[in-house]
Amino acid sequence: MASYLEKAKEAMNQFDTVTIIQVPRAENTNADALARLATGLEERLLKTVPIEILEEPSIDKPEQVGSIVVRPCWMDPIVSFLRDGTLPADKFEARRLRFRSALFIWKNIVCRFGVPRKLVSDHGTQFENEKLQSICD
């Protein structure tokens, strides 16, 4: 319990202000059930409160961070075209990309949400090109 208290104090030092309030037992049945478990295992509690016995304290485990691997996606050329107007050098591929981009906008924006009166983005340049602005005007 002391190591958990130490971790809590370390976490509290990272905040500007900390407020600790006591929740009445009647309003916190989960904590009440855990307190009863700590004082002694009652038969009726074993049926209602799942118990997991840890082989080692969870506080000693290192933090795990999930990594994300970004791979090339079929949407990358479309996003690049819509954002920057970047087209492949090959005329056929450029025409195909323009068609796929228009189809993408039609299926994923217009058919789902209707013709937009205004496009709102996160200050990105995905929708800043003359063709899209002429559609919206």
Side-chain angles (χ1 to χ4, degrees), residues 48-111:
T48 59
V49 179
I51 298 174
E52 177 184 0
I53 298 174
L54 301 177
E55 294 179 16
E56 60 184 54
S58 60
I59 201 163
D60 294 337
K61 292 182 179 178
E63 292 183 27
Q64 294 179 349
V65 178
S67 63
I68 298 173
V69 178
V70 179
R71 295 187 178 117
C73 175
W74 65 270
M75 288 179 28
D76 291 344
I78 294 172
V79 171
S80 179
F81 170 66
L82 293 175
R83 183 182 319 145
D84 309 321
T86 307
L87 287 169
D90 181 28
K91 277 188 169 185
F92 176 75
E93 285 297 319
R95 184 174 181 208
R96 185 171 173 237
L97 180 59
R98 278 196 291 268
F99 177 78
R100 287 177 59 206
S101 299
L103 189 63
F104 177 81
I105 290 171
W106 179 257
K107 284 184 174 181
N108 293 293
I109 296 175
V110 176
C111 289

